[in-house]
Amino acid sequence: MINRLKKLNPQFRNILKISSRLAKKSDYNIYLVGGVVRDLLLNRPVFDLDIVVEGDAISLVRQLAKRLKIDFRRHHSFGTATLSYQGHKIDFATARKERYPHPGSLPKVKPSSLEKDLIRRDFSINAMAISINKKNYGQLIDFYHGRRDLKNGLIRILYSESFFDDSLRILRAVRFQQRFSFKIETKTYALMKQAIGAGALQWINPHRLRDELILFLDETNPYRYIKRFYLLEKFNFINKRIKLNKKEFNFFIRAQAAIRFYNKTFSNKDKIKRWSIFLAGILVNLSYREVIEVTNRFGFKKDERLIISSIKKDIGKIKKLDRKLKPSVIYKILTGYSREALIFFYAYFPRKKIRSNIIFFLKDLSGQKLKIKGKDLQKMGVESSSFMGKTLKKLFFLKLDKNLKTKRQEIKEVKKIVKIK
Ligand code: ATP
């Protein structure tokens, strides 16, 4: 595995080397674990590192952070710490074992060995480690046949109560199965169906579910993931009335294309929350009240709740865009929506006119501002602030409709409004 470790970027390799030396000094064992190992074996890019220490992880991170002159964040409740180093995240944890007092509860954790730490993980392919100890640097540690399953393209749990202990693993199983085009191993599949049948996804903390759902819907091109999961569980855990038909599945396909188009065309804009577009699609046939209940129960952030509820509330209004309209009218219909809502509408309505109006808004209208300011109006003798507000608004719509480019053109136009020669 040494050759695989060499594929990591120099910053990561540097961190591993220093950590290895510090661990030796303290007589700890230290390993790279989880998804990183899987991705190295699959020759996929690695963005973050997960490190497990048989010893005191926090004390090791403290020394490492001092050495690198960087800060770290300690998560008291889990005994873990995160370093942010040159744009990358490195998580450190003391090797621990877990016990679930009852299904769906948060586990009780105790410091333990690497072997016990690995068996508490979700799937064999995510339960491998690479030693970064001096004595066997780069050696693969694979107690649970993860490498064999990786070769055979199988998602396999490590013990039979796994899905009952933590039903988030149901979403994760489908996510990894779809991402790597793997199969869910037969026994794992049977146990997963059993847990779904027992309603295990309803027992779990909604905030944990939300985070996992976001990861699920944030995968590149999640249409296949959604379809697969719908066949299994129908998104009952979100709301039992969710119904997805051909129309919605076609929407998911168009949404993928719309997101690609948006990212290509507006690459300088802020990163969008892709997942929210798909979630809004999953919820689209529920009532407005039901949508609000879902977004509240899962504890989405305010802006996220707004994206999803505004889509549900105003979807009918967007049909008005299906004809030739003045720019100011298009502006009035579309202003105030998030980028995500606009992409949703674009994907939801494949009508040519609606789409071209949305693109026109995004490209040419949404960033428009008046060049003239309140001060300029004052100079022209406009004093009442409410009149000034109304005038500026009127002028702004004229600017859009008449395509006014310069301040001089705006002044000429405003003079007509306030009737000054
Ligand atoms: P990704 O490539 O999507 O980041 P990952 O495998 O790195 O996937 P994380 O969610 O970052 O996934 O988790 C890191 C590791 O922690 C996993 O590889 C797995 O070993 C373990 N893990 C995460 N979630 C669970 C869970 N619900 N149950 C058991 N183990 C988990």
Side-chain angles (χ1 to χ4, degrees), residues 125-338:
I125 59 164
N126 290 343
M128 291 178 275
I130 298 175
S131 164
I132 47 174
N133 299 298
K134 263 216 143 69
K135 55 183 181 224
N136 53 356
Y137 193 90
Q139 187 184 319
L140 181 73
I141 297 160
D142 182 15
F143 297 116
Y144 310 110
H145 307 295
R147 190 168 202 175
R148 183 195 63 196
D149 288 341
L150 211 51
K151 266 200 193 119
N152 295 330
L154 286 179
I155 305 293
R156 190 168 55 80
I157 45 171
L158 303 179
Y159 60 97
S160 30
E161 300 80 35
S162 184
F163 287 123
F164 280 92
D165 277 350
D166 182 1
S167 57
L168 285 187
R169 293 170 189 165
I170 299 170
L171 273 164
R172 292 176 67 85
V174 175
R175 181 152 70 89
F176 292 120
Q177 182 243 322
Q178 289 295 324
R179 186 197 290 172
F180 302 128
S181 300
F182 280 10
K183 274 178 74 173
I184 299 178
E185 178 264 341
T186 319
K187 198 164 160 222
T188 298
Y189 186 72
L191 290 163
M192 186 163 98
K193 292 278 280 185
Q194 204 182 324
I196 290 172
L201 274 163
Q202 330 270 342
W203 309 331
I204 213 151
N205 174 308
H207 292 186
R208 288 189 69 217
L209 261 178
R210 171 203 58 206
D211 293 346
E212 200 59 51
L213 182 64
I214 289 178
L215 291 176
F216 186 91
L217 297 175
D218 221 20
E219 291 277 333
T220 317
N221 299 333
Y223 154 69
R224 282 184 298 113
Y225 298 59
I226 297 172
K227 194 163 180 196
R228 182 83 176 92
F229 193 80
Y230 186 69
L231 289 175
L232 267 172
E233 205 265 351
K234 301 224 165 345
F235 291 100
N236 276 336
F237 79 90
I238 300 182
N239 182 304
K240 290 211 162 61
R241 287 203 334 105
I242 286 176
K243 270 227 158 53
L244 303 180
N245 298 309
K246 205 162 173 206
K247 183 173 172 209
E248 288 74 39
F249 286 119
N250 285 336
F251 160 76
F252 296 130
I253 296 173
R254 288 198 302 270
Q256 294 181 166
I259 291 168
R260 278 196 300 275
F261 170 72
Y262 178 84
N263 286 336
K264 216 166 79 192
T265 320
F266 303 96
S267 54
N268 56 339
K269 292 271 189 318
D270 294 341
K271 200 168 170 272
I272 51 162
K273 295 187 175 188
R274 290 180 305 179
W275 60 268
S276 63
I277 299 170
F278 294 99
L279 181 57
I282 292 172
L283 303 180
V284 77
N285 291 327
L286 297 182
S287 70
Y288 181 67
R289 272 176 69 175
E290 285 168 326
V291 171
I292 298 293
E293 187 280 324
V294 169
T295 56
N296 286 340
R297 173 159 43 95
F298 285 104
F300 287 102
K301 293 187 197 138
K302 197 173 164 200
D303 61 321
E304 299 168 346
R305 290 203 307 266
L306 197 66
I307 293 174
I308 296 163
S309 62
S310 69
I311 290 174
K312 175 67 205 172
K313 190 157 126 269
D314 294 341
I315 201 161
K317 200 171 113 183
I318 300 304
K319 289 188 198 137
K320 287 195 222 154
L321 288 171
D322 197 13
R323 57 203 153 100
K324 190 160 168 38
L325 294 165
K326 285 202 294 194
S328 61
V329 178
I330 300 173
Y331 187 92
K332 283 178 205 162
I333 296 175
L334 291 178
T335 190
Y337 288 114
S338 57

Side-chain angles (χ1 to χ4, degrees), residues 9 11-12 15 46-49 68 70-71 82-91:
N9 67 41
Q11 294 93 321
F12 280 160
I15 293 230
V46 167
F47 300 104
D48 303 316
L49 297 184
L68 297 168
I70 53 176
D71 283 337
T82 306
L83 276 183
S84 291
Y85 186 56
Q86 303 186 348
H88 299 286
K89 205 170 82 151
I90 302 132
D91 283 323

Side-chain angles (χ1 to χ4, degrees), residues 335-398:
T335 190
Y337 288 114
S338 57
R339 306 262 135 187
E340 289 84 351
L342 294 173
I343 297 170
F344 181 101
F345 295 141
Y346 178 92
Y348 197 77
F349 296 102
R351 311 269 309 174
K352 243 193 184 145
K353 199 72 225 160
I354 297 186
R355 290 189 148 193
S356 63
N357 281 336
I358 294 176
I359 293 179
F360 177 55
F361 173 79
L362 276 166
K363 276 193 173 157
D364 297 329
L365 303 180
S366 64
Q368 293 275 12
K369 278 199 180 78
L370 281 176
K371 297 218 160 43
I372 191 176
K373 300 272 175 298
K375 269 191 317 206
D376 300 306
L377 287 188
Q378 261 173 350
K379 275 191 211 153
M380 292 179 203
V382 179
E383 270 158 23
S384 138
S385 65
S386 83
F387 182 63
M388 191 183 288
K390 276 187 205 148
T391 308
L392 286 173
K393 205 165 164 189
K394 209 167 177 182
L395 179 65
F396 179 70
F397 294 136
L398 275 172

